[in-house]
Amino acid sequence: MAARTFAPNQKRDISKRKQFIEQTLRLNHDPFAFATAELELQVQPEDSPFFSYFVQPPTFPPQENLLERLRQANPVFIFGPAGSGKTTLRYALEALCRAVPDGTLVVSYTLGKTEAPVRGETAVWQSLTQALATDLFVQVTEQLHSMGELGPDVVQRLGQFWHGVIPYYGRNLRRHLEQNKANTLTGISPWWTTWKRAAVRYTPLTPKRQSFLQQLLALEEAAPPVEIYHSELFYEGAALAAEIGFTQVYLLVDAVDSSQQQKIHLEERLSQALPAIHALSPPIPLYPKLFLPEYWQDHVNHLATALGWLTPQTLSAIIRWDQPEALHALITNRFRSAGSWIRGFNTIAGQEIADKLDDMMIQTANQSPRRLLQTASLLIDAHVMRQAEESLITAVDWNAMCQMWSYDSPPSPLPLMSSRQTGENR
Amino acid sequence: MNGNATSLPDDELNIRRDYRPDQYTPRPQIQTAHRWFHDRKKQLLTVVALPATGKTWFLRRLQEEFNGNSIVKTLWIEVDDLLSPEMRHGRTREVRDIADIHKHAWFRDFKQQLAAQCPDVAALPYSETDDIAELVEALANEICQNCFAGQQVVLFIDNGDILSNPGWREFERTIIEPFAREKSLRLIVAAREDQKIETFFLKASQQRLILDDLEDEAGEQQMQKLAQEFPMAAPRVAHLLKAIPAYAYSHAGLNTFLYLYADKYPDAQPDRHFLRAMVDVLNRFSEDPDELIELLEAIADYADEWVIEQMAEWQSVSNTEAWERASKLIDNWLVVNISRNRYKIVDGVREFVRVVLKLRATLAIEAQTDDPTQVINGLEQLTAVTAQNVRQTNVIAGKAWVTLELDAEAANELMQLYQNKQLAGAGIIHMRYEANKLLHLISNLFNVDEMHELCHCLGISYEDLAGGGKRRKVLELLGYYERRAQMPDLLRCCQQMRPDANWQI
């Protein structure tokens, strides 16, 4: 399914959509522009509304406070179909751990995105070590003010590790320091997007932080890039984390939705990564937290059993958006995040569909948040193609959306009433 | 007693008064707040309400109750204290950035107050060049882990509604978030409905408490307490209320306003000045109260609840224009979205607007009889309708048609009775509002300057028409020509100035 939410063969009229969103509805941004977490994070990256969209996904078995459960020091296995919000949940856990630190180093490893060109165990360690180094750099910088003094020796070892492992680390850090751009709401957090990490908290460029980053930059020459990756390098990073006060590592593993051929490759990669991590015995406890497609459930359960990760404390759950109110909350939350009093599409619907538009959209979504967002976005496109300055969405728009539909299982058009009944503008 | 659009709200009518325990009216939501505290499941309690409906006093009462518990330590932040005096008393909610200098001034005061209770706070390093968020984070840690260890620290944050949405976001990022990073600290924040908490980890640990209108008994209790506080104003308030029997004392801010207004103006009347002061006081940031009153006037004579299409039809404007008008009123807390696509003027405000502006509505009634007198007699027996309200009767195809003109409030009560099927005894089979199309056409097609031109065409003076706003003047103009049976003259001038409009009414 396409990531962007408008049909590929339809040209989205951006100016009309912008007019409808910003002038007619008076939203401060378009909360339905994209339907995947990665793209949504790019909306206002300096202070992304992405995290304020978050709605706890319903799961089987049900969890009263899923995020708190995820945050506990135990292995976690979350499964779900494509578009069910696994990546969003992974980002939410990462954001929670970084925004309210408690000694946990949270490392994000995405299967299928950051894959090295080489195969085999070396590639696994390359990806894992780069992920660890990147997250360690971001989280040390974020928490620098509350970490106490880091001695010159520690700074030197940290710098050498980061320069050696993170691609183009020195070049990118220098660029940011030279540009010296800091945002009043997030400080230097937007810098993290360079290293594919989200801005989740305000991190000011204080003299202490600036000095720390300058010291790191000065170490560039002393640290040639690492060419051979193995478990010792990962171990070294984890030991550094322990030395500066981190007490545990959460390894968040997320697999992107992929083609059949990639699935086989990713399954192979996962089968290599999990035993390798288990065999590592890092200097501080490491808890795997996996966010994986539902079809991997049996395979992963088999692996986890073999590794002894399935204990009574382990959380294993499947995301199931089978509660319409949860999907409705998703719509409401997005309008609210865009600074509006509008609570749902029913509020901006013409009279003849005002009591059922949200329900129709939720039915079309077929228990998929991504599909719900695609429906919302396409409906807005259909409406603005008719009349961007008109505030109310009508049955005519719904039917136009059905015609523009390019995903599977198209929704049903509505029988049309007279123009007066449909609330057409006079 | 004339207001003007650019003047600041009258300080003597400021309903945001210092908390007085003897004047507090108990609200049942306080139990919800106590449950939030004892459950310990959520870090943040957001108390949400329309402006001027008693959030501050609710928080003060809660603080008072918490202070009676030795295991609780309460702290209070008044957002005003982070602003410059000019910003604090400014007319518009345009505070987008809180200057570092003011944040630091507030921090020093706050820290000093705490140091009086916990000397260790004084030892925390401080420099004016330090980042405020990092200072707050260290302070929060000291408070919870050292100063008041063993106690539950609850931080109240009030008056955030003085900030624009960007200003609020910055306050959230640099002040609230660093406090909230101390997980053992609990927060209670008063906020406008649209003032959302965006901080992800706080939102995930948030309970929203909606402070509704006062219930009947509570409203009466508040009025009694106000009467004791303002004995001189009490008879004047009673006089004002006599004109507005439908008002049920449900709006805490409005109740206070009534007494403050009657206290200030011995000759208080439910007139336009009263209404302007009310709109001004309920939302001290409304940029053009007169325009808002005009918009209110245009919809208050219609049903209690409505949808955008009905509003558009009623006012002879497009759906988009109706949406914009409704949105403007919603932004100023005078209209609320009830559910789905339904709206209403805020309870309390609606009743005052209708009476003050003497709004009248026309109802067209269709009855299953060929005798209109029978319909009128039936209505007289069941309702307060009299023969004086009858404007027109007709018999078409064996059915009686009766047109009534009533006070907007009475018309809505009658419509309610019809909708509740309580008028079957009068043989009524259908009832609907009849829009005054001419009123809406002229109001929409002529601005104030063009109204002057229209009056010139008619040979009368615009200023001589009674009433304050344009719509009121149009009503007066219509009444003037109707009383003299000279409507064709008016229509001729309208046609001359707006030849493209349809004047066949």
Side-chain angles (χ1 to χ4, degrees), chain A residues 80-100:
Chain A
S84 59
K86 299 181 293 295
T87 301
T88 297
L89 191 58
R90 191 265 290 168
Y91 272 122
L93 177 59
E94 180 194 332
L96 187 64
C97 293
R98 282 171 51 196
V100 191

Side-chain angles (χ1 to χ4, degrees), chain B residues 108-289:
Chain B
R108 284 192 300 269
D109 282 352
F110 191 70
K111 190 177 164 214
Q112 202 174 349
Q113 285 168 30
L114 283 166
Q117 303 165 57
C118 174
D120 287 350
V121 165
L124 284 174
Y126 170 79
S127 155
E128 280 185 3
T129 56
D130 287 343
D131 183 82
I132 196 74
E134 295 188 352
L135 288 169
V136 169
E137 196 174 314
L139 180 67
N141 184 269
E142 184 66 25
I143 292 168
C144 294
Q145 303 303 326
N146 185 13
C147 289
F148 309 113
Q151 282 181 293
Q152 171 67 72
V153 182
V154 181
L155 175 65
F156 290 79
I157 297 177
D158 190 32
N159 264 341
D161 54 7
I162 197 169
L163 301 172
S164 64
N165 285 339
W168 171 252
R169 179 68 183 133
E170 194 207 328
F171 177 76
E172 195 185 347
R173 269 287 193 203
T174 53
I175 307 291
I176 301 181
E177 268 186 42
F179 269 115
R181 260 184 209 115
E182 185 53 50
K183 281 166 82 178
S184 63
L185 184 138
R186 315 280 301 277
L187 294 111
I188 301 180
V189 176
R192 300 189 311 263
E193 236 286 326
D194 68 330
Q195 213 166 13
K196 60 194 185 291
I197 295 288
E198 271 189 66
T199 299
F200 164 69
F201 67 89
L202 263 181
K203 203 175 160 191
S205 188
Q206 173 186 219
Q207 180 174 332
R208 278 164 70 87
L209 186 157
I210 296 171
L211 212 52
D212 291 323
D213 289 344
L214 292 174
E215 287 175 9
D216 290 354
E217 213 171 287
E220 280 172 24
Q221 204 179 337
Q222 189 197 7
M223 293 297 268
Q224 282 165 12
K225 287 184 175 182
L226 285 162
Q228 285 162 9
E229 188 184 349
F230 299 98
M232 299 286 281
R236 297 170 207 154
V237 171
H239 169 71
L240 280 170
L241 288 171
K242 202 180 284 180
I244 308 159
Y247 179 57
Y249 319 137
S250 57
H251 195 303
L254 213 48
N255 293 346
T256 308
F257 165 73
L258 278 170
Y259 275 89
L260 293 176
Y261 188 83
D263 194 51
K264 181 171 182 185
Y265 299 110
D267 60 339
Q269 298 294 328
D271 57 14
R272 208 175 174 87
H273 176 270
F274 168 87
L275 192 60
R276 194 194 184 286
M278 185 181 91
V279 169
D280 220 15
V281 159
L282 290 183
N283 178 9
R284 61 183 164 143
F285 300 109
S286 54
E287 285 173 10
D288 188 349

Side-chain angles (χ1 to χ4, degrees), chain B residues 301 314 357-362 389 391 405-408:
Chain B
D301 56 353
W314 187 243
L357 298 176
K358 298 181 178 59
L359 295 181
R360 297 182 75 73
T362 308
N389 298 118
R391 286 290 159 270
E405 194 187 296
L406 302 145
D407 292 342

Side-chain angles (χ1 to χ4, degrees), chain A residues 321 323-324 327-328 331 356-368 371-372 375 398 401 405 408-412 414:
Chain A
W321 289 87
Q323 297 165 17
L327 286 166
H328 193 266
I331 297 176
K356 59 185 177 192
L357 181 55
D358 285 326
D359 290 344
M360 283 157 46
M361 291 172 69
I362 288 168
Q363 202 178 346
T364 304
N366 197 19
Q367 300 190 12
S368 162
R371 206 173 140 101
L372 178 67
T375 308
W398 177 268
M401 179 202 72
W405 193 265
D408 54 0
S409 312
S412 307
L414 289 163

Side-chain angles (χ1 to χ4, degrees), chain B residues 20 27 173 218 311 372 411 414 468 497:
Chain B
R20 284 183 48 183
R27 305 184 85 144
R173 269 287 193 203
M311 181 178 171
L414 193 60
M497 291 183 67

Side-chain angles (χ1 to χ4, degrees), chain A residues 26 52 99 202 351 389, chain B residues 131 181 203 309 320 327 341:
Chain A
R26 297 198 286 179
S52 68
Y202 170 67
Q351 175 69 350
E389 64 276 10
Chain B
D131 183 82
R181 260 184 209 115
K203 203 175 160 191
E309 290 99 322
T320 308
S327 296
N341 61 338

